[in-house]
């Protein structure tokens, strides 16, 4: 069989580039301002000297910019190369890697080794050099380079002086600048980065039910105080009209009394559906005003996106084909036997009218985006088709790239990962159920250092209207302090649901994670006066002041010689934070936090507790700590001398 | 933006299928008869019951065959599915995975849970059942299935009996057989398996220089004895005419005396090139006869494929453009400064005439294949272009799929891996330089359990004409015994170079890995009478009798409480082998081999030493061993009661 190509196939291999997700199938995520570290295996047959660069471009950019790659492990004869570039705008970035053989450097390197070995008959080698230099002369764009090359060309005929002249650093620099990219190879296709605004990764969330605060206009009045506490996102469960049919009563009872407000997740009534505002909460104009006030205070308002309908939702009449109808004409309400949600109907994603259904949801989201909502907490995305989310997020980002989508999926890890891969900006996690040192360090290490680090941004909600963990139920205020410090220092994004600051911890019954008298089914009287607020304010302040706490991948867990004490360090250049928390809410615990030498700290250094202002002398090796539920339950220590 | 498709996109995800190499870029390797274990993540949104199969086909086959996949970790609510199929012929196999939603099983599962919860109003559910059963009736191909469905259909109107009838196992079986593959999804593209003959993975190699044995005809006479020793492959360094110009003398000296035979790697003289036989060794007809005799004894003959030329090679005159010419007209001999190989010229793979050059090599290989050579040990493949090898191996396999290519690349790991990925059947390894317990267990574990297990087949040569390791130089016969047992039991493929059985261990000088009076530069007098041969014969016999030793991925290293003792177990159903070797060639060593419980052996069991015939009582937990260079240096223990 004859060979088909006309030019010899490329000899350089570029393999295993990073950052990538599933070999390039999905984009890795970054935020504006991030320095993107790029690595790849670069090699070819033989012993030629190679060069490599990363080429990158931002959204809408046609031309590529280059940055050099360097061998990372040349000292062990390795093949890994690395370099970096900075992403400066939101949107889809692309990068690729180019590598080529450096013929002059290869020739120079061999010549040098031959001279070192005392070889003198180098006429053949020098004849190669003459050709290379002459060709480079023709290519060189700078006069200085041409001069440097020409002056060496003039002496290359002289067997005595020639080799030394050929090795001159000036010539090397000139030749490199005038070099041709021999046998240049690039990745088969560019790799993608999805770049979000900083707030998509680093944010403190506060969740409240507006009806418990007097409606949207009253909530707007609280904005300055909430902003002053250091929160970045104010998140509301659905604010739409609530169905009357099968309305749930207090504590999820099946029959509502007159005046019971119902669950805000039973969306839709004669007063409107997902694009409407519950009349008792306010108007669309109130939402607009509230979003504007939030923006003035540097905050986002987040809305719940729950794709289900009450029996009274306008779409049930307008689009019955969007719902799951039985052959006998009945509609299927939501259920996961034996659980039944009679006040909620699911959509039929397999409807033949799926295009219109998708478009309707897109219009709902864009409607809210245009009203000022830039953050959506998506309810149970794992029970709707993945392709729908991938499409919806792309569509909404085409309208406004600022929009953030948080996936509320508490399900199998693979499903949660997939939702993040296909576009969700942030994700809820298993954090609530990770309460021991072993569970926490294993889980957070996986998120920070495993493949998920490239695309899965955890948002560590400590409690939610659905989840009051037994640890909080039984641990009392020390448990709340400990979990607050953990969430706020482990992850760039964390959140609490209103009531946390009051140490609310009574379940609807023993063994349940549901709250007693849950706000999901009744209106409560809320105010911003919880006893934990001063610590929350300080923690949010610490988070903003210390860039080490604004990243996840820089966490390293530390030995404490006590399972009840968890410790970790986070570091960026110029800022190192060591956190220690007592996981035991009942007893004082003593141990030693072991600072390993590889962190690069001084043998002895001072640390200041950012929560209390106290100072300690620490050192590489074990450092005694004692944390007492009756006093301090956690340290957030900044290294003061580096 | 309107949505373009007309049917809703597939909701099922199939991810991370195995076996794969680099996400499907290269085929995984198997041999004829292998059971291929297939796994993948299979999941979708929601709670539907899923089904999945692996579909596979052999070379030249148009139709697909199916085998079921089952959830592997359903008990932890996981997403991993697995199944298997057997590859029965050589060549390129393909497989893919198909998954779909099982609507009847989903409906049945929910009905069952509702009945369990005491729900009685199931008219809507049953109306769905009627439609499903009616549709299945129309699809069912077997009368029995139609009957089973029809009999249930008749009672589905009866609210009392209907639910029980709908849950009947008979109906389930009938419905599964008549099921439609709702929302069926397959991998984007099939994955490939390259299936070789068994000897491509499991073989014992013996290397000799025919000139030291009196030429090819004399070697042919040794075939029965070599076969009787249990060797599968008899491998020769190049047998072609040797150049006269710059011929090397004994011990790699620069000047040959008259009568010095030169290095067989300096290929080509007036008597011919790579397709010719050195007249002093014999004729093409001798090669043909020798290969036929080997075949009669179940053996392969392997030839060296060294793509370089002596200054007297016919191609230098016929195709000067295939060599590296300097601008001053001189040819570049092979060198890696300060090393120089004046008797060897390299080919210019960047020649414009590369297609003819590739074709010429293909013709050389096919020439030898037609003469009876089915195995090639390729010299330094890492200094020739990767695309050339990928092409050459494919071309030769199109002529004869039996052909085996062994890559002799001692270079960077990434390069060795890449050669294996692009088609080399077997590969030389770092085994020679792994002599401590830690080095051996780390390296072999990587090969057996890391990504390389899918495509990189190690051939553990213990010595080669180029590599006499210091461990053998200084360890004497006990070192030879230990390394023999390690190579022969760790890897399905291993080899020795003639002289090993004589304990040859004198280097050309202290600190060198080259042999004194190396056969590469002079003719020796060899005979098949080394003192290690009886043990080699027994070891090869043990390898053939014990299928556990014919695989690599089944190795597990064991604790011995002594760094000088290395132990490991290999197991296949019905055959478990425990090997223990003393790595210290000077002193007796004692320790305990710890048998872990997870191997599934009985609490107490007998083992028989296949090398000595001795028997021992072993148990789960530590088992005392003592190995003494003065007596036994290794155990190869077969578990006798399982």
């Amino acid at each position: 069989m004859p060979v088909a190509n006309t030019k010899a196939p490329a000899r350089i291999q570029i393999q295993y580039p990073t950052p990538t997700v599933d070999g390039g199938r999905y984009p890795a995520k970054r935020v504006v301002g991030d320095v993107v570290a790029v690595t790849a295996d670069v090699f070819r047959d033989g012993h030629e000297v190679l060069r490599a660069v990363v080429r990158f471009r931002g959204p809408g950019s046609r031309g590529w910019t280059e940055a050099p790659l360097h061998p990372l492990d040349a000292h062990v004869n390795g093949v890994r190369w690395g370099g970096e570039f900075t992403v400066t705008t939101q949107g889809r970035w692309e990068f690729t890697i180019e590598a080529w053989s450096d013929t002059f450097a290869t020739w120079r390197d061999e010549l040098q080794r031959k001279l070192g070995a005392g070889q003198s008959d180098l006429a053949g080698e020098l004849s190669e050099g003459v050709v290379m230099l002459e060709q480079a002369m023709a290519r060189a764009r700078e006069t200085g380079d041409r001069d440097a090359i020409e002056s060496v060309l003039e002496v290359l005929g002289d067997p005595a002086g020639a080799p030394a002249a050929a090795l001159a650093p000036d010539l090397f620099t000139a030749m490199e600048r005038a070099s041709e990219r021999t046998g240049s190879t690039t990745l088969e296709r560019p790799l993608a980065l999805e770049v979000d605004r900083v707030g998509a990764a680093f944010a403190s969330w506060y969740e409240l039910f507006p009806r418990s605060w007097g409606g949207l206009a009253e909530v707007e009045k609280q904005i300055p105080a909430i902003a002053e506490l250091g929160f970045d996102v104010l998140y509301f469960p659905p604010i739409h009209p609530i169905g009357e049919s099968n309305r749930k009563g207090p504590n999820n009872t099946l029959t509502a009394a007159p005046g019971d407000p119902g669950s805000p997740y039973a969306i839709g009534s004669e007063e409107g559906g997902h694009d409407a505002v519950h009349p008792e909460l306010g108007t669309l104009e109130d939402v607009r005003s509230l979003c504007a006030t939030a923006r003035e205070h540097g905050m986002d308002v987040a809305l719940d996106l729950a794709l289900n309908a009450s029996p009274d939702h306008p779409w049930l009449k307008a689009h019955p084909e969007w719902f799951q109808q039985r052959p006998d004409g009945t509609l299927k309400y939501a259920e996961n036997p034996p659980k039944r949600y009679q006040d909620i109907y699911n959509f039929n994603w397999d409807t033949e009218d799926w295009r219109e259904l998708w478009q309707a949801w897109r219009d709902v989201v864009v409607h809210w985006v245009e009203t000022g909502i830039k953050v959506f907490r998506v309810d149970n995305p794992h029970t709707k088709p993945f392709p729908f989310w991938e499409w919806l997020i792309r569509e909404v980002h085409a309208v406004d790239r600022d929009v953030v989508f948080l996936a509320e999926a508490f399900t199998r890890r693979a499903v949660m990962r997939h939702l993040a891969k296909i576009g969700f900006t942030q994700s809820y996690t298993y954090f609530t159920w990770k309460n021991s040192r072993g569970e926490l360090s294993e889980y957070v290490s996986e998120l920070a250092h495993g493949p998920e680090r490239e695309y899965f941004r955890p948002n560590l909600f400590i409690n939610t209207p659905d989840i009051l963990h037994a640890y909080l139920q039984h641990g009392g205020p020390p448990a709340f302090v400990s979990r607050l410090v953990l969430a706020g220092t482990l992850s760039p994004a964390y959140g609490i649901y209103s009531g946390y600051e009051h140490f609310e911890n009574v379940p609807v019954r023993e063994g349940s994670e549901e709250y007693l008298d849950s706000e999901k089914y009744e209106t409560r009287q809320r105010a911003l006066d919880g006893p934990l607020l001063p610590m929350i304010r300080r923690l949010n302040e610490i988070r903003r002041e210390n860039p080490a706490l604004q990243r996840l991948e820089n966490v390293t867990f530390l030995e404490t010689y006590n399972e009840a004490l968890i410790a970790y360090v986070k570091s960026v250049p110029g800022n190192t934070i060591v956190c220690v928390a007592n996981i035991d809410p009942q007893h004082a615990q003593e141990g030693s936090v072991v600072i390993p030498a590889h962190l690069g700290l001084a043998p002895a250094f001072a640390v200041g507790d950012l929560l209390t202002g106290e100072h300690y002398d620490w050192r590489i090796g074990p450092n005694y700590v004692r944390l007492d539920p009756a006093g301090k339950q956690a340290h957030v220590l900044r290294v003061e001398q580096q």
Side-chain angles (χ1 to χ4, degrees), chain A:
Chain A
M1 241 180 290
V3 184
N5 298 349
T6 54
K7 200 180 162 187
R11 300 173 73 162
I12 298 178
Q13 289 291 319
I14 308 174
Q15 298 181 348
Y16 309 125
T18 68
T20 49
V21 178
D22 289 357
R25 168 72 182 80
Y26 305 100
K29 293 196 179 100
R30 293 294 186 272
V31 296
V32 171
D34 270 353
V35 175
V36 180
V38 173
T39 64
D41 282 4
V42 179
F43 61 89
R44 57 161 284 175
D45 60 285
H47 306 285
E48 273 73 6
V49 177
L50 301 183
R51 299 277 173 238
V53 294
V54 54
R55 313 184 70 202
F56 56 96
R57 64 181 179 190
S61 194
R62 286 205 184 170
W64 296 89
T65 308
E66 273 185 14
L69 299 185
H70 302 287
L72 295 178
D73 47 12
H75 57 293
V76 290
N77 200 19
V79 297
R80 202 74 186 158
W81 290 59
E84 62 185 39
F85 65 94
T86 302
V87 286
T88 50
T89 55
Q90 284 191 148
R92 180 66 59 107
W93 284 63
E94 287 186 307
F95 71 96
T96 186
I97 292 166
E98 181 182 2
W100 63 91
S101 301
D102 187 332
T103 46
F104 179 74
T106 303
W107 175 85
R108 183 179 186 271
D109 178 56
E110 289 195 5
L111 186 69
Q112 201 156 21
R113 282 190 282 157
K114 287 172 187 176
L115 287 168
Q119 285 178 238
S120 54
D121 176 18
L122 298 170
E125 283 78 355
L126 293 174
S127 78
E128 291 178 297
V130 167
V131 172
M132 267 189 278
L133 267 61
E134 283 172 350
Q135 288 171 346
M137 270 285 285
R139 278 192 306 267
R141 272 169 302 196
E142 294 178 32
T143 316
D145 290 346
R146 277 199 299 275
D147 291 349
I149 296 169
E150 189 165 29
S151 69
V152 175
L153 260 180
E154 281 164 7
V155 299
L156 270 197
D158 170 10
L167 297 179
D170 277 5
L171 177 66
F172 183 65
T173 310
M175 289 294 286
E176 287 295 293
R177 262 202 292 265
S179 78
E180 231 181 358
R181 299 193 166 180
T182 308
S184 167
T185 306
T186 58
L187 294 176
E188 271 181 41
R189 62 187 73 86
L191 295 162
L193 294 173
E194 195 63 39
V195 179
D196 295 292
R197 58 185 169 120
V198 172
F202 173 60
S204 309
W205 288 50
Y206 186 67
E207 173 178 4
L208 61 79
F209 284 70
R211 66 188 182 194
S212 296
W213 298 70
L216 295 168
E218 292 301 312
V219 171
E220 184 174 346
K221 293 181 190 157
Q222 300 289 337
I223 292 270
I226 296 171
E228 197 269 330
L229 287 168
F231 286 109
D232 305 287
V233 181
L234 177 60
Y235 152 47
F236 304 148
I239 58 172
H240 317 300
I242 296 172
E244 298 279 347
S245 308
N246 298 329
R247 178 175 282 190
K248 294 286 181 82
N251 291 308
N252 201 17
T253 47
L254 283 177
T255 47
D260 281 343
S263 161
Y265 290 90
I267 296 168
S269 75
E270 286 182 3
E271 286 150 335
H274 283 78
D275 53 1
V277 179
H278 195 303
E280 289 176 15
L281 295 180
T283 63
L284 193 63
E285 196 42 53
D286 290 335
V287 179
R288 204 183 309 273
S289 170
L290 191 148
C291 288
T293 301
R295 181 129 316 153
E296 280 166 27
H297 288 82
M299 286 182 67
D300 267 303
V301 176
L303 200 60
D304 215 305
L305 191 60
L307 306 198
N308 46 48
S310 92
D312 309 318
H313 196 291
W315 283 354
L316 263 89
K317 282 184 191 142
H319 302 283
E321 69 280 10
W322 290 356
F323 296 87
Q324 296 189 311
Q325 271 189 293
R326 290 219 170 84
D328 68 350
T330 57
L331 281 182
K332 287 180 80 162
Y333 52 75
E335 55 186 339
N336 184 13
K339 286 190 195 169
R340 296 192 271 184
Y341 309 94
Q342 295 93 335
D343 59 340
I344 290 174
Y345 287 87
N346 284 333
F347 287 81
N348 176 17
W349 296 97
D350 291 323
T351 175
E352 289 179 9
D353 206 28
W354 63 275
R355 280 177 292 188
E356 287 70 22
L357 177 60
W358 286 26
Q359 196 67 39
W361 285 121
R362 181 241 176 232
D363 292 346
V364 164
V365 176
V366 169
H367 162 74
W368 290 114
V369 169
E370 286 167 353
T371 308
I373 304 284
K374 307 291 179 185
V375 179
F376 294 88
R377 176 269 198 194
V378 179
D379 189 70
N380 283 328
H382 57 293
T383 58
K384 288 91 192 173
F386 301 121
F388 165 71
W389 294 121
E390 194 164 9
W391 174 85
L392 179 74
I393 294 169
R394 199 170 55 231
E395 288 287 308
V396 174
H397 276 169
V399 173
D400 187 339
R401 190 56 192 75
D402 273 351
V403 178
V404 165
F405 291 89
L406 165 62
E408 188 248 9
F410 296 110
T411 181
R412 294 175 290 180
R413 189 85 171 257
V415 175
M416 293 168 69
R417 286 173 174 151
H418 193 61
L419 289 165
K421 286 178 194 170
I422 63 177
F424 278 91
T425 327
Q426 294 181 14
S427 307
Y428 278 70
T429 70
Y430 303 148
F431 172 70
T432 327
W433 300 281
K434 304 290 182 184
N435 287 280
S436 74
R437 183 174 95 152
E439 288 168 339
L440 275 167
S441 57
E442 179 188 41
Y443 184 54
V444 175
S445 293
E446 284 172 10
L447 295 175
H449 308 309
E452 284 156 307
R453 75 186 184 281
E454 300 293 4
Y455 63 89
F456 186 97
R457 293 204 190 98
N459 188 331
L460 302 190
F461 259 87
I462 317 177
N463 66 328
T464 79
D466 299 312
I467 313 172
L468 169 68
H469 192 274
Y471 180 80
L472 296 174
Q473 295 175 24
H474 302 129
F480 282 71
V481 168
S482 183
R483 294 295 289 178
L484 174 70
V485 172
L486 287 170
T489 58
L490 279 171
S491 173
Y494 89 104
I496 59 170
Y497 152 58
S498 166
Y500 192 87
E501 68 271 28
H502 290 280
F503 306 126
E504 275 192 8
N505 68 343
V506 184
V508 68
R509 62 182 172 278
E510 183 60 33
S512 169
E513 291 187 344
E514 291 277 341
Y515 279 92
L516 177 67
D517 304 331
S518 167
E519 275 184 285
K520 286 194 292 182
Y521 311 106
E522 58 192 280
T523 301
R524 303 274 294 275
Q525 297 307 316
R526 295 285 199 189
L528 211 57
D529 56 5
L532 193 55
L533 287 180
M535 184 174 222
I536 291 170
R537 178 188 291 109
R538 179 60 190 140
L539 184 72
N540 287 337
E541 200 170 55
I542 292 168
R543 284 164 47 83
R544 288 186 178 173
E545 287 171 1
N546 291 278
L549 296 178
Q550 297 166 18
R551 309 199 71 83
L552 176 64
E553 80 287 351
N554 60 343
V555 67
T556 303
F557 287 89
L558 303 176
E559 181 56 76
T560 59
Y561 301 127
N562 180 341
E563 284 293 314
L565 294 176
I566 186 165
Y568 41 93
V569 58
K570 285 185 150 188
S571 221
V572 297
N575 185 226
T576 297
I577 303 289
V578 179
C579 299
V580 197
N582 181 4
I583 290 172
D584 180 350
Q586 269 87 35
H587 309 95
Q589 294 286 346
E590 296 175 286
S592 289
V593 176
V594 180
I595 300 292
H598 67 73
L599 294 179
L601 297 175
F605 52 90
V607 296
D609 191 326
L610 300 176
L611 292 173
T612 64
E614 290 167 302
H615 292 261
Y616 306 94
D617 289 323
W618 275 37
R619 66 193 63 249
I620 290 174
N623 297 276
Y624 174 79
V625 289
R626 182 178 193 279
L627 291 168
D628 186 346
K632 280 190 301 284
Q633 187 68 343
H635 287 303
V636 178
L637 305 167
R638 180 160 57 196
V639 175
E640 292 176 345
Q641 299 165 3
Q642 284 194 269

